[in-house]
Amino acid sequence: MEEERAVLRHGKVEHPLEVFVGTEGESGLDIGRLLSSTGMVALDYGFANTAWCRSAVSFVDGNVGALRYRGYPIEQLAEHSCFLEVSYLLFHGELPTLAQLAEWREAITVETLLDEGMRQMFDACPREAHPMVLLSAAVTAMGAFHPELESTLAAEQAAIHLLAKVPTAAAFSYRRSRGLPYAYPRRSLDYCSRFLQMTFSVPGEEYEVDPVAARALDVLLILHADHEQNCSTSTVRLVGSSRATVFASVASGVNALSGPLHGGANQEVLELLQQIHADGGNYAKYLARAKDREDTFRLPGFGHRIYRSYDPRAGVLKTFADQLVTRQAGQDPLLEIALALEQTALTDDYFIERHLYPNVDFYSGILFRALGFPTRMFPVLFALGRFPGWIAQWKEMTEDPETRIGRPRQVYVGSPQRDYVPVHERR
Ligand code: ACO
């Protein structure tokens, strides 16, 4: 790290600003004292130019399409690692030894059951409730069931607790929406097989693990595990900066992720494909709408705030999607529409000029469908993958001595001061 200076000139006055250079060479202008030295704030819609923390968890290079967790390229982790090892890496900062990984896995496995009181919470919610609402409620409630884990001193136990119980809560939310009896976790299974078993097992029948499906899910979770200061992660940090508990903070992350411009996009992708299918496969019509500036419609699963080239996660998933499409050839018209849509968009000038490539949500939706999940579960699966990142970022924030409560400024554009008029005198 090295520091240099930049100068901001306003009128005739110069204001020196420190430049902070990160490990990968990207630099940040420190405007922390801008208000006191210039009387001005920085106006930055969507925080598009604002780094509000220093973080060592993950790194994205949007120009070349690179994503690394703690320095390790996502492609290597997706190929050689597993989700629980990646979770350990994100939380502790280093890859585990064999013994550490075994201990981490065991600690998570023995914690998979939910408190029976939580069942009533699921039962009390209407079947029609979106599974993301149930997941968010369940994560908030976990704090109520385990107040001893709310202290920052218990961060590791809280992380284990969340990683263990969130899949159970996610599976319960699915079964509640289907009106099915809850399936308890079989501890002998690995993390992803167990989640599939809790979600899809049929009462009275032995659940048969599909290793291809379990591995595909594991890779999907790895690819979603962290992604710098995205909307939900920033939400987790913002909520946590008020010293709210880890449960309150990550539950807020679930809520932020539920929006269609973030984790809800994969659900939107599938809904669009269904609409195109119902429309006789006419995807050109939807491409034309996406390009029409008078129309607010955007092609879900395309574009990204950071990536101006291919999203590396989409690259890994495309390989899996192609394999699954081949395995299920002719069985699912939506998968074929998706691939045709992708090919056409990739060669279209509108998308090329704006660097709009498929993002992770385009393929994850296709894969989640191929794994048998209904569209409403897609954001839940994204959340399942993102928990290790949220927890690691929350921990990093609580341990950073520079952390202050998140409190952005604004530029007020409302009415100037005016005097109150009693209601009976108003015309
Ligand atoms: N379809 C059509 N046009 C698009 C799309 C799209 N999906 N995305 C961006 N554009 C266009 C914009 O209209 C704009 O065009 P203009 O320059 O003619 O005005 C240009 O591309 C730049 O777009 P911005 O709005 O500046 O991009 P921004 O970084 O603010 O938005 C976002 C990024 C929200 C992801 C956007 O691309 C989008 O809405 N995509 C669809 C939703 C989606 O897939 N979200 C998932 C994101 S990944 C994730 O959360 C894991």
Coordinates of all heavy atoms in Angstrom, one line a residue, residues 29-91:
L29 N -9.9 8.1 -3.7 CA -9.6 9.5 -3.2 C -10.3 9.6 -1.8 O -11.5 9.4 -1.7 CB -10.3 10.4 -4.2 CG -9.7 11.8 -4.5 CD1 -8.3 11.7 -4.9 CD2 -10.6 12.3 -5.7
D30 N -9.5 9.9 -0.8 CA -10.1 10.0 0.5 C -10.8 11.3 0.7 O -10.2 12.4 0.9 CB -9.0 9.8 1.6 CG -9.6 9.7 3.0 OD1 -10.8 10.0 3.2 OD2 -8.9 9.2 3.9
I31 N -12.2 11.3 0.7 CA -13.0 12.5 0.8 C -13.6 12.6 2.2 O -14.5 13.4 2.4 CB -14.1 12.6 -0.3 CG1 -15.0 11.4 -0.2 CG2 -13.4 12.8 -1.7 CD1 -16.3 11.6 -0.9
G32 N -13.0 11.9 3.1 CA -13.6 11.9 4.5 C -13.7 13.3 5.1 O -14.6 13.5 5.9
R33 N -12.8 14.2 4.7 CA -12.8 15.5 5.3 C -13.3 16.6 4.3 O -13.1 17.8 4.5 CB -11.4 15.9 5.8 CG -11.0 15.1 7.1 CD -9.8 15.6 7.7 NE -9.3 14.6 8.7 CZ -8.6 13.5 8.4 NH1 -8.2 13.3 7.1 NH2 -8.3 12.6 9.3
L34 N -13.9 16.1 3.3 CA -14.4 17.1 2.2 C -15.3 18.1 2.8 O -15.2 19.3 2.5 CB -15.1 16.3 1.1 CG -15.3 17.0 -0.2 CD1 -14.0 17.3 -0.9 CD2 -16.2 16.1 -1.1
L35 N -16.3 17.7 3.6 CA -17.3 18.6 4.1 C -16.6 19.7 5.0 O -16.9 20.9 4.9 CB -18.3 17.8 4.9 CG -19.5 18.6 5.5 CD1 -20.3 19.3 4.4 CD2 -20.4 17.7 6.3
S36 N -15.7 19.2 5.9 CA -15.1 20.2 6.9 C -14.2 21.1 6.1 O -14.1 22.3 6.5 CB -14.4 19.5 8.0 OG -13.5 18.6 7.5
S37 N -13.5 20.7 5.1 CA -12.5 21.6 4.4 C -13.2 22.4 3.3 O -12.8 23.5 3.0 CB -11.3 20.8 3.9 OG -11.7 20.0 2.8
T38 N -14.3 21.9 2.6 CA -14.8 22.6 1.5 C -16.3 23.1 1.7 O -16.8 23.9 1.0 CB -14.9 21.8 0.2 OG1 -15.8 20.7 0.4 CG2 -13.5 21.2 -0.1
G39 N -16.9 22.5 2.8 CA -18.3 22.8 3.0 C -19.2 22.1 2.0 O -20.4 22.3 2.0
M40 N -18.7 21.1 1.2 CA -19.4 20.4 0.3 C -19.4 18.9 0.5 O -18.5 18.4 1.1 CB -18.9 20.6 -1.2 CG -19.1 22.0 -1.7 SD -18.5 22.2 -3.4 CE -16.8 22.1 -3.2
V41 N -20.5 18.3 0.1 CA -20.5 16.8 0.2 C -20.3 16.2 -1.2 O -20.4 17.0 -2.2 CB -21.9 16.3 0.8 CG1 -22.0 16.7 2.2 CG2 -23.1 16.7 -0.1
A42 N -20.1 14.9 -1.3 CA -20.0 14.3 -2.6 C -21.3 13.8 -3.0 O -22.0 13.1 -2.2 CB -19.0 13.2 -2.6
L43 N -21.8 14.1 -4.2 CA -23.1 13.6 -4.6 C -22.9 12.4 -5.5 O -22.2 12.5 -6.6 CB -23.9 14.7 -5.3 CG -25.3 14.3 -5.9 CD1 -26.3 13.9 -4.8 CD2 -25.9 15.5 -6.7
D44 N -23.4 11.2 -5.2 CA -23.0 10.0 -5.9 C -24.2 9.0 -5.9 O -24.2 8.1 -5.0 CB -21.7 9.4 -5.3 CG -21.3 8.2 -6.1 OD1 -21.7 8.0 -7.2 OD2 -20.5 7.4 -5.5
Y45 N -25.1 9.2 -6.8 CA -26.3 8.3 -6.8 C -25.8 6.8 -7.0 O -24.9 6.5 -7.8 CB -27.2 8.6 -8.0 CG -28.2 9.7 -7.7 CD1 -28.0 11.0 -8.1 CD2 -29.4 9.4 -7.1 CE1 -28.9 12.0 -7.8 CE2 -30.3 10.3 -6.8 CZ -30.1 11.7 -7.1 OH -31.0 12.6 -6.8
G46 N -26.4 5.9 -6.2 CA -26.2 4.5 -6.3 C -24.8 4.1 -5.8 O -24.3 3.0 -6.1
F47 N -24.1 5.1 -5.2 CA -22.7 4.8 -4.7 C -21.8 4.3 -5.8 O -20.9 3.6 -5.6 CB -22.7 3.8 -3.5 CG -23.5 4.2 -2.4 CD1 -24.5 3.4 -1.9 CD2 -23.3 5.4 -1.7 CE1 -25.3 3.7 -0.8 CE2 -24.1 5.8 -0.6 CZ -25.1 4.9 -0.2
A48 N -22.1 4.7 -7.0 CA -21.3 4.2 -8.2 C -19.9 4.5 -8.1 O -19.0 3.8 -8.7 CB -21.9 4.7 -9.5
N49 N -19.5 5.6 -7.4 CA -18.1 6.0 -7.3 C -17.6 6.1 -5.9 O -16.6 6.7 -5.6 CB -17.9 7.4 -7.9 CG -17.7 7.3 -9.4 OD1 -16.8 6.7 -9.9 ND2 -18.7 7.8 -10.2
T50 N -18.3 5.4 -5.0 CA -18.0 5.6 -3.6 C -17.5 4.2 -3.0 O -18.3 3.3 -3.0 CB -19.2 6.1 -2.8 OG1 -19.5 7.4 -3.3 CG2 -18.9 6.2 -1.3
A51 N -16.3 4.2 -2.5 CA -15.8 3.1 -1.7 C -16.0 3.5 -0.2 O -15.5 4.5 0.2 CB -14.3 2.8 -1.9
W52 N -16.8 2.7 0.5 CA -17.1 3.2 1.9 C -16.4 2.3 2.9 O -16.7 2.4 4.1 CB -18.6 3.3 2.1 CG -19.4 2.1 2.3 CD1 -19.5 1.0 1.5 CD2 -20.3 1.8 3.4 NE1 -20.3 0.0 2.0 CE2 -20.8 0.5 3.2 CE3 -20.6 2.5 4.5 CZ2 -21.7 -0.1 4.1 CZ3 -21.5 1.9 5.4 CH2 -22.0 0.7 5.2
C53 N -15.5 1.4 2.4 CA -14.7 0.7 3.4 C -13.5 0.1 2.7 O -13.4 0.2 1.5 CB -15.6 -0.5 4.0 SG -16.0 -1.7 2.7
R54 N -12.5 -0.3 3.5 CA -11.4 -1.1 2.9 C -11.8 -2.6 3.2 O -12.1 -2.9 4.4 CB -10.1 -0.7 3.6 CG -9.7 0.7 3.3 CD -8.6 1.1 4.1 NE -8.5 2.6 4.0 CZ -7.6 3.4 4.6 NH1 -6.7 2.8 5.3 NH2 -7.7 4.7 4.5
S55 N -11.7 -3.4 2.3 CA -12.1 -4.8 2.5 C -11.1 -5.8 1.9 O -10.5 -5.5 0.8 CB -13.5 -5.1 1.9 OG -13.8 -6.4 2.1
A56 N -10.9 -6.9 2.6 CA -9.9 -7.9 2.1 C -10.6 -9.2 1.7 O -10.0 -10.2 1.6 CB -8.9 -8.1 3.2
V57 N -12.0 -9.1 1.6 CA -12.7 -10.4 1.5 C -12.7 -10.8 0.0 O -12.3 -12.0 -0.3 CB -14.1 -10.3 2.0 CG1 -14.9 -11.6 1.9 CG2 -14.1 -9.8 3.5
S58 N -13.2 -10.0 -0.9 CA -13.2 -10.4 -2.3 C -12.8 -9.2 -3.2 O -12.9 -8.1 -2.8 CB -14.6 -10.9 -2.7 OG -15.6 -9.9 -2.5
F59 N -12.5 -9.5 -4.4 CA -12.1 -8.5 -5.4 C -12.6 -8.8 -6.7 O -12.6 -9.9 -7.2 CB -10.5 -8.5 -5.4 CG -10.0 -7.6 -6.5 CD1 -10.1 -6.2 -6.4 CD2 -9.4 -8.1 -7.7 CE1 -9.6 -5.4 -7.4 CE2 -9.0 -7.3 -8.7 CZ -9.0 -5.9 -8.6
V60 N -13.2 -7.7 -7.4 CA -13.8 -7.9 -8.7 C -13.0 -6.9 -9.6 O -12.8 -5.8 -9.3 CB -15.3 -7.5 -8.7 CG1 -15.8 -7.5 -10.1 CG2 -16.1 -8.4 -7.8
D61 N -12.6 -7.4 -10.8 CA -12.0 -6.6 -11.8 C -13.0 -6.6 -13.0 O -13.0 -7.6 -13.7 CB -10.6 -7.0 -12.2 CG -10.0 -6.0 -13.2 OD1 -10.8 -5.3 -13.9 OD2 -8.8 -6.0 -13.4
G62 N -13.9 -5.6 -13.0 CA -15.0 -5.6 -14.0 C -14.5 -5.5 -15.4 O -15.2 -5.9 -16.4
N63 N -13.3 -4.9 -15.6 CA -12.8 -4.7 -17.0 C -12.4 -6.0 -17.7 O -12.6 -6.3 -18.8 CB -11.6 -3.7 -17.1 CG -12.1 -2.4 -16.7 OD1 -13.3 -2.0 -17.1 ND2 -11.3 -1.6 -16.0
V64 N -11.7 -6.9 -16.9 CA -11.3 -8.2 -17.4 C -12.1 -9.3 -17.0 O -11.9 -10.5 -17.4 CB -9.8 -8.5 -17.1 CG1 -8.9 -7.4 -17.6 CG2 -9.6 -8.6 -15.6
G65 N -13.2 -9.1 -16.2 CA -14.1 -10.1 -15.8 C -13.4 -11.1 -14.8 O -13.4 -12.3 -15.1
A66 N -12.8 -10.6 -13.7 CA -12.2 -11.4 -12.7 C -12.8 -11.3 -11.4 O -13.2 -10.2 -11.0 CB -10.7 -11.1 -12.6
L67 N -13.0 -12.4 -10.7 CA -13.5 -12.4 -9.3 C -12.6 -13.3 -8.5 O -12.3 -14.4 -8.9 CB -14.9 -12.9 -9.3 CG -15.6 -13.2 -7.9 CD1 -15.6 -12.0 -7.0 CD2 -17.0 -13.8 -8.1
R68 N -12.1 -12.7 -7.3 CA -11.3 -13.6 -6.5 C -11.8 -13.4 -5.0 O -12.2 -12.4 -4.6 CB -9.8 -13.1 -6.5 CG -9.2 -13.1 -7.9 CD -7.7 -13.0 -7.9 NE -7.3 -11.6 -8.1 CZ -7.2 -11.0 -9.3 NH1 -7.5 -11.7 -10.4 NH2 -6.7 -9.8 -9.4
Y69 N -11.8 -14.6 -4.3 CA -12.1 -14.6 -2.9 C -10.8 -14.7 -2.1 O -10.0 -15.7 -2.3 CB -12.9 -15.8 -2.5 CG -14.3 -15.9 -3.1 CD1 -15.0 -17.1 -3.1 CD2 -15.0 -14.8 -3.7 CE1 -16.3 -17.2 -3.7 CE2 -16.2 -14.9 -4.2 CZ -16.9 -16.1 -4.2 OH -18.1 -16.3 -4.8
R70 N -10.5 -13.7 -1.3 CA -9.2 -13.7 -0.5 C -8.0 -14.0 -1.4 O -7.1 -14.7 -1.0 CB -9.3 -14.8 0.6 CG -10.5 -14.6 1.6 CD -10.2 -13.6 2.6 NE -11.2 -13.6 3.6 CZ -11.2 -12.6 4.5 NH1 -10.4 -11.6 4.5 NH2 -12.2 -12.6 5.5
G71 N -8.1 -13.5 -2.6 CA -7.0 -13.7 -3.6 C -7.1 -14.9 -4.5 O -6.4 -15.0 -5.5
Y72 N -8.0 -15.8 -4.2 CA -8.1 -17.1 -5.0 C -9.1 -16.9 -6.2 O -10.2 -16.5 -5.9 CB -8.5 -18.3 -4.2 CG -7.5 -18.6 -3.2 CD1 -7.6 -18.3 -1.8 CD2 -6.3 -19.3 -3.5 CE1 -6.7 -18.6 -0.9 CE2 -5.4 -19.7 -2.5 CZ -5.6 -19.3 -1.2 OH -4.6 -19.6 -0.3
P73 N -8.7 -17.1 -7.4 CA -9.6 -16.9 -8.6 C -10.9 -17.9 -8.4 O -10.7 -19.0 -8.0 CB -8.8 -17.3 -9.8 CG -7.4 -17.2 -9.4 CD -7.4 -17.5 -7.9
I74 N -12.0 -17.3 -8.7 CA -13.3 -18.0 -8.6 C -13.3 -19.3 -9.4 O -13.8 -20.3 -9.0 CB -14.4 -17.1 -8.9 CG1 -15.8 -17.7 -8.6 CG2 -14.5 -16.7 -10.4 CD1 -16.0 -17.8 -7.1
E75 N -12.6 -19.3 -10.6 CA -12.7 -20.5 -11.5 C -11.9 -21.6 -10.8 O -12.4 -22.8 -10.8 CB -12.0 -20.2 -12.8 CG -12.7 -19.1 -13.7 CD -12.3 -17.7 -13.3 OE1 -11.6 -17.5 -12.3 OE2 -12.7 -16.8 -14.1
Q76 N -10.8 -21.3 -10.1 CA -10.1 -22.4 -9.4 C -10.9 -23.0 -8.2 O -10.9 -24.2 -8.0 CB -8.7 -21.9 -8.8 CG -7.7 -21.6 -9.9 CD -6.4 -21.0 -9.4 OE1 -6.1 -21.2 -8.2 NE2 -5.7 -20.3 -10.2
L77 N -11.5 -22.0 -7.5 CA -12.4 -22.5 -6.3 C -13.5 -23.3 -6.8 O -13.9 -24.4 -6.3 CB -12.8 -21.3 -5.5 CG -11.7 -20.5 -4.8 CD1 -12.3 -19.2 -4.2 CD2 -11.1 -21.3 -3.7
A78 N -14.2 -22.9 -7.9 CA -15.3 -23.6 -8.5 C -14.9 -25.0 -8.9 O -15.6 -26.0 -8.8 CB -16.0 -22.9 -9.6
E79 N -13.7 -25.1 -9.4 CA -13.3 -26.4 -10.0 C -12.8 -27.4 -8.9 O -13.1 -28.6 -8.9 CB -12.2 -26.2 -11.0 CG -11.9 -27.5 -11.8 CD -10.9 -27.3 -12.9 OE1 -10.6 -26.2 -13.3 OE2 -10.5 -28.4 -13.4
H80 N -12.0 -26.8 -7.9 CA -11.3 -27.7 -7.0 C -11.9 -27.7 -5.5 O -11.5 -28.6 -4.8 CB -9.8 -27.3 -6.9 CG -9.2 -27.4 -8.3 ND1 -9.0 -28.5 -9.0 CD2 -8.7 -26.4 -9.0 CE1 -8.4 -28.3 -10.1 NE2 -8.2 -27.0 -10.2
S81 N -12.6 -26.7 -5.2 CA -13.0 -26.5 -3.8 C -14.4 -27.0 -3.6 O -15.1 -27.5 -4.5 CB -12.8 -25.1 -3.4 OG -13.0 -24.9 -2.0
C82 N -14.9 -26.8 -2.3 CA -16.3 -27.0 -2.1 C -16.8 -25.9 -1.3 O -16.1 -25.1 -0.7 CB -16.5 -28.4 -1.3 SG -15.9 -28.3 0.4
F83 N -18.2 -25.7 -1.2 CA -18.8 -24.6 -0.6 C -18.3 -24.4 0.9 O -18.1 -23.3 1.3 CB -20.3 -24.7 -0.7 CG -21.0 -23.5 -0.1 CD1 -20.9 -22.2 -0.6 CD2 -21.9 -23.7 1.0 CE1 -21.5 -21.1 0.0 CE2 -22.5 -22.6 1.6 CZ -22.4 -21.4 1.1
L84 N -18.3 -25.5 1.6 CA -17.9 -25.3 3.1 C -16.4 -24.8 3.2 O -16.1 -24.0 4.1 CB -18.1 -26.6 3.8 CG -19.6 -26.9 4.1 CD1 -19.7 -28.1 5.1 CD2 -20.3 -25.7 4.7
E85 N -15.6 -25.3 2.3 CA -14.2 -24.8 2.4 C -14.1 -23.3 2.0 O -13.4 -22.5 2.6 CB -13.3 -25.6 1.4 CG -11.8 -25.3 1.5 CD -10.9 -26.0 0.6 OE1 -11.3 -26.3 -0.6 OE2 -9.8 -26.3 1.0
V86 N -14.9 -22.9 1.0 CA -14.9 -21.5 0.6 C -15.5 -20.7 1.7 O -15.0 -19.6 2.0 CB -15.8 -21.4 -0.7 CG1 -16.1 -19.9 -1.0 CG2 -15.0 -22.0 -1.9
S87 N -16.5 -21.2 2.4 CA -17.1 -20.5 3.6 C -16.0 -20.3 4.6 O -15.9 -19.2 5.2 CB -18.2 -21.3 4.2 OG -19.1 -21.6 3.3
Y88 N -15.2 -21.3 4.9 CA -14.1 -21.2 5.9 C -13.1 -20.1 5.4 O -12.7 -19.3 6.2 CB -13.4 -22.5 6.0 CG -12.3 -22.6 7.1 CD1 -12.6 -23.1 8.4 CD2 -11.1 -22.0 6.8 CE1 -11.6 -23.1 9.3 CE2 -10.1 -22.0 7.8 CZ -10.4 -22.6 9.1 OH -9.4 -22.5 10.0
L89 N -12.8 -20.2 4.1 CA -11.8 -19.2 3.6 C -12.3 -17.8 3.8 O -11.6 -16.9 4.2 CB -11.6 -19.6 2.1 CG -10.8 -18.5 1.3 CD1 -9.4 -18.5 1.6 CD2 -11.0 -18.8 -0.2
L90 N -13.6 -17.6 3.4 CA -14.1 -16.2 3.5 C -14.1 -15.7 5.0 O -13.8 -14.6 5.3 CB -15.5 -16.1 2.9 CG -15.6 -16.3 1.4 CD1 -17.0 -16.4 0.9 CD2 -14.9 -15.1 0.7
F91 N -14.5 -16.6 5.9 CA -14.6 -16.2 7.3 C -13.3 -16.0 7.9 O -13.0 -15.0 8.6 CB -15.4 -17.3 8.0 CG -15.7 -16.8 9.5 CD1 -16.8 -15.9 9.7 CD2 -14.9 -17.3 10.5 CE1 -17.0 -15.5 11.0 CE2 -15.2 -16.9 11.8 CZ -16.3 -16.0 12.1

